[in-house]
Amino acid sequence: MAALASSPSLLHSSSSFNSSSTPSISPVSRISLKFPSSSLSSSLSISPSFLAFSLNSRRVSPNSYSSTVVQASGAVEKKKVLIVNTNSGGHAVIGFYFAKELLGSGHDVTVLTVGEQSSDKMKKTPFTRFSEITGAGGRTVWGNPADVGKILEGEVFDAVLDNNGKDLDSVSPVADWAKSSGVKQFLFISSAGIYKPTDEPPHVEGDAVKADAGHVLVEKYISEIFGNWASFRPQYMIGSGNNKDCEEWFFDRIVRGRPVLIPGSGMQLTNISHVRDLSSMLTLAVQNPAAASGHIFNCVSDRAVTLDGMARLCAKAAGSSVEIVHYDPKAVGVDAKKAFPFRNMHFYAEPRAANEILGWSATTNLPEDLKERYEEYVKIGRDKKEMKFELDDKILESLKVLVAA
């Protein structure tokens, strides 16, 4: 089964609203999926009720943001910032970019990475590039975040970002230390994965979340103990230094002339952001703590992409063609989570709160960013690395699709 002959376009436009108006029926933002050369057309309309965090209700009126929107100002106050950084997974690169951006803006930065500097995990990016942090005047230390008080004994920070914990057991020791040591602002990297599936995508700040999710309990806890806090919910990301496959999964197959296997129709929408957008959003929160305080931000770019579209964009970046094969995971007897790097469903959020509160704008440009990512992919020699695609082969065998040797 080959790729669709015509590729859909995703059009997004947002109607502005008057922040002084009373909450009533608002203009809508419309997301339209249009299919050229096809009679198929669908659209979703979603009210732009920009939403702040509340323990009782996660939906509030648009005018709740009016007093905190960031205004243009003069010189930025220098801050002393601690980043508690995970030692694995896709989020480690967030702390790396955030540290470099803060340093570039004149702030004082310490990065506390989980574990030991001598561990095998530190032999991977972004950790192998920590000299870029120290070379810019930052400091890197290692240890157990639960011992942060001992590791950084006597030090006082203006802001702390926990980019490690996923539950209260791992975050509360850092949060409690931060509270007792006089930290003025506490930031937390949460996840857009905590949203409940919705019939009205995209996910916006204030949509229903899974009440028992670890990230949700952390958000509730920090909202109760800190006067100034904010939480950031990222999705998928790309960028140099990331050690979790995203675009690489597609490149691995495209450069070897293999089909790209996508579960379902391939029309599922997702959000893939360049990590520089995540770090710039976090930096704005540090530099404008009063505006960011008490808010949850979808830490994502402002464009969605279809799963088929991601495959085609990767192929274009690599200067190649691509054969897309769709399959039903249940019919072929595979776990889609193991066979494919993204969720097999519509899963994307919009950064409405960051746009409105922080004055933030996304810079992610997938067609261009993927070209840069492919250049690095080739530079490190991954295009020549021997690989096995056993799960792909199992799916193709079930579908009776032949692959050229």
Side-chain angles (χ1 to χ4, degrees), residues 6 8-11 30-45 267:
S6 60
S9 61
L10 176 66
L11 306 178
R30 179 170 294 276
I31 295 171
S32 298
L33 292 178
K34 297 184 180 296
F35 300 82
S37 305
S38 170
S39 61
L40 296 176
S41 178
S42 62
S43 64
L44 295 171
S45 296
M267 295 308 300

Side-chain angles (χ1 to χ4, degrees), residues 106-228:
H107 301 290
D108 186 310
V109 179
T110 297
V111 179
L112 167 59
T113 302
V114 178
E116 299 179 356
Q117 186 176 4
S118 60
S119 72
D120 287 343
K121 290 184 177 181
M122 297 302 108
K123 296 177 182 178
K124 299 179 180 180
T125 56
F127 313 109
T128 54
R129 294 174 56 183
F130 269 18
S131 60
E132 295 176 33
I133 295 174
T134 56
R139 179 173 54 148
T140 54
V141 296
W142 281 259
N144 184 341
D147 299 327
V148 61
K150 295 179 181 178
I151 298 169
L152 301 169
E153 187 173 1
E155 295 197 47
V156 178
F157 293 87
D158 296 300
V160 171
L161 170 71
D162 191 304
N163 182 38
N164 172 57
K166 299 180 180 179
D167 53 43
L168 269 180
D169 287 343
S170 54
V171 177
S172 60
V174 177
D176 293 344
W177 163 81
K179 179 67 175 179
S180 65
S181 66
V183 168
K184 299 174 184 176
Q185 180 186 41
F186 194 88
L187 307 177
F188 174 59
I189 297 295
S190 182
S191 170
I194 64 177
Y195 285 115
K196 290 182 177 180
T198 178
D199 291 329
E200 296 183 289
H203 294 299
V204 296
E205 294 90 349
D207 280 357
V209 296
K210 303 164 188 173
D212 59 348
H215 294 92
V216 173
L217 299 178
V218 171
E219 289 176 349
K220 182 176 184 295
Y221 185 70
I222 64 175
S223 74
E224 293 171 344
I225 70 170
F226 288 101
N228 193 306

